[in-house]
Amino acid sequence: MSVNRRRAATVAGLAAVLTVVIAVLPGHRGWFDVGVYHGAVGHWARGGDLYEWTTGNGYGFTYPPFAAATMLPMAALAWYPTIVANLLLTALAVAFLLHLLVDPLARRHGWSRWYALALSCCLLAGLNQVRDTVSFGQVNLVLVALVYLDLWLVERGSRLAGVGTGLAAAVKLTPAVYIGYLLVTGRWRAATTAIGTVVAATTVTAALAPDATRTFFTEALWDTDRVGRLAYVSNQSLLGVVARLDPTHPERRLWVALVAVVLVVWATRARRAVRVGDERAGFALTGVVACLVSPVTWVHHLVWLVPGLVVLAASTLPWPPADPSARRRARAGVAGYVVLCSGLVWVFANGSTGPLGFLGANAYVWVSIGMLVLLPVGRADPGKDHPRSTEHCGAVEVPCRSQCSATSPPRAESLPAAGVRDDSR
């Protein structure tokens, strides 16, 4: 059998196993969220109150009015065409993300590109978070693609960088953390573009739908009961952890303290990532912190961790890793991936008492914290054919711009002062 036939058989076998597993295991969400979008937007298009409409069990539209405006075409579609449209948009988003994140790795290491992308698609489908996003009919992967459009633009120095983040943040508040990333890392033009995009989208929507805008910013935005209980096991954020400690009276001061610590770690590591030219690690870290600091991070929101998994995998290449630290990263990455695929948190959906229950019910949070702290920064950037990777120039690690070689003596100003910790490693 030829190599290509073996590869095709491998992909077909993995796809068949995944199809059976997804079909047999419980957990299909019945397109619940796209049903909320479809019902609320249709009610709004017929002259009703966007935020008044609810499902039979009390769930209503929770996004800004701009999101509803982008979803207005749903009002003209029947139920099944709406599902198909949602699946097509999600598939396009996944195709873009895999092309952006995985294809450069395949080119760099001389892999068969179709095979690498097909295997990546199978690995992606195995994640509990992706399965939930698809079966809920959520918009998460589309928003990730919008934000990562900005990664593509930033890497090319485009003046349009920031537009994708701005549009994503106008649809849903969580991606606004990426505006913080642009500010923290000194990307003033891109940050201004992102903020301007949010303001423009919100202002235009407010002019066209003033009542819905007023209701969202004065009522719906602050009503956390609209999205569900904070202590519910699906809420895999820091506030979810705190709420599960005391569901009746969550200690908000503890949550604020934890958020502050996480933001300091993120800002420090994100700035370092940009300093050494590792934009992809900076974006990945921001996706992780968005999940941790958001008051509500349902399991399907954790698709923001996917780029971090790619960054982690890229840092262990080529396989099998020979370096001991790369092997440790590989083991940690595999363990995290298995946990994220497992649906472990749902085992504790009806109760999470005791130490084991606490650990299991917050399993995805522990993976997120591990990624925030341990995600490698300063590795070769797979997004460029000639990356600005970190190399040793004498005694220290600096971004390589072809000004040094392994045999060149270090410049005096490049050496760390005696007794001063070199934090560039």
Side-chain angles (χ1 to χ4, degrees):
M1 184 182 291
S2 68
V3 172
N4 280 335
R5 286 185 178 180
R6 284 199 302 271
R7 289 172 175 171
T10 300
V11 170
L14 278 174
V17 170
L18 278 168
T19 300
V20 171
V21 168
I22 292 171
V24 171
L25 288 180
H28 192 281
R29 311 304 179 180
W31 320 113
F32 181 83
D33 283 355
V34 77
V36 173
Y37 309 153
H38 185 256
V41 169
H43 179 72
W44 189 41
R46 293 188 294 272
D49 186 328
L50 177 64
Y51 297 100
E52 180 185 66
W53 183 93
T54 60
T55 62
N57 51 358
Y59 287 96
F61 197 78
T62 59
Y63 300 166
F66 176 73
T70 64
M71 296 176 185
L72 271 175
M74 287 185 183
L77 296 177
W79 173 235
Y80 288 110
T82 299
I83 295 173
V84 171
N86 176 268
L87 290 174
L88 287 174
L89 281 174
T90 299
L92 287 172
V94 168
F96 170 73
L97 287 169
L98 291 181
H99 177 75
L100 180 67
L101 298 175
V102 177
D103 188 62
L105 295 174
R107 286 188 285 108
R108 169 163 297 179
H109 293 279
W111 303 337
S112 168
R113 292 166 69 183
W114 77 263
Y115 186 53
L117 292 171
L119 286 180
S120 299
C121 195
C122 290
L123 291 172
L124 190 69
L127 288 166
N128 181 191
Q129 298 70 31
V130 173
R131 298 196 305 269
D132 271 6
T133 285
V134 173
S135 64
F136 269 119
Q138 259 282 346
V139 296
N140 300 309
L141 284 166
V142 176
L143 298 182
V144 176
L146 276 175
V147 168
Y148 272 76
L149 172 64
D150 274 349
L151 170 64
W152 186 80
L153 293 171
V154 165
E155 288 181 339
R156 284 151 183 78
S158 172
R159 292 175 177 270
L160 293 176
V163 170
T165 297
L167 289 173
V171 169
K172 198 171 183 178
L173 298 181
T174 301
V177 175
Y178 281 86
I179 298 177
Y181 169 75
L182 296 173
L183 292 170
V184 163
T185 57
R187 307 300 176 82
W188 308 116
R189 180 190 294 275
T192 300
T193 300
I195 294 170
T197 302
V198 174
V199 171
T202 304
T203 301
V204 170
T205 308
L208 297 174
D211 292 339
T213 302
R214 186 183 310 108
T215 300
F216 176 77
F217 285 104
T218 61
E219 299 176 24
L221 176 60
W222 314 105
D223 184 5
T224 56
D225 290 336
R226 289 179 63 87
V227 296
R229 294 181 295 109
L230 291 176
Y232 183 46
V233 73
S234 182
N235 184 14
Q236 292 291 302
S237 69
L238 291 174
L239 184 54
V241 175
V242 171
R244 282 185 283 278
L245 288 172
D246 185 357
T248 307
H249 302 290
E251 180 50 74
R252 298 276 181 158
R253 289 173 296 182
L254 174 59
W255 173 58
V256 171
L258 291 173
V259 166
V261 171
V262 163
L263 287 176
V264 169
V265 173
W266 161 72
T268 302
R269 303 204 75 218
R271 287 172 63 86
R272 182 187 170 203
V274 170
R275 191 167 63 245
V276 300
D278 195 352
E279 198 76 58
R280 291 171 179 239
F283 266 70
L285 286 166
T286 305
V288 173
V289 85
C291 295
L292 287 170
V293 304
S294 174
V296 177
T297 299
W298 300 135
V299 166
H300 51 270
H301 295 162
L302 292 169
V303 292
W304 292 98
L305 301 183
V306 168
L309 293 174
V310 177
V311 168
L312 184 59
S315 75
T316 68
L317 296 174
W319 272 77
D323 181 67
S325 63
R327 288 199 295 269
R328 287 193 294 271
R329 285 195 303 273
R331 288 193 293 268
V334 169
Y337 175 79
V338 169
V339 170
L340 292 173
C341 287
S342 67
L344 175 62
V345 298
W346 299 113
V347 174
F348 304 91
N350 295 320
S352 55
T353 57
L356 181 61
F358 182 71
L359 288 173
N362 300 301
Y364 295 166
V365 179
W366 311 139
V367 173
S368 298
I369 292 173
M371 291 179 69
L372 176 68
V373 176
L374 302 175
L375 199 71
V377 170
R379 306 286 160 183
D381 181 359
K384 301 175 184 178
D385 291 330
H386 302 285
R388 191 180 71 171
S389 60
T390 54
E391 296 183 4
H392 286 278
C393 290
V396 296
E397 249 181 352
V398 297
C400 181
R401 297 179 179 83
S402 302
Q403 286 108 330
C404 64
S405 67
T407 58
S408 301
R411 295 181 299 175
E413 62 269 27
S414 297
L415 295 171
V420 178
R421 178 175 177 266
D422 175 19
D423 196 37
S424 65
R425 296 185 186 277

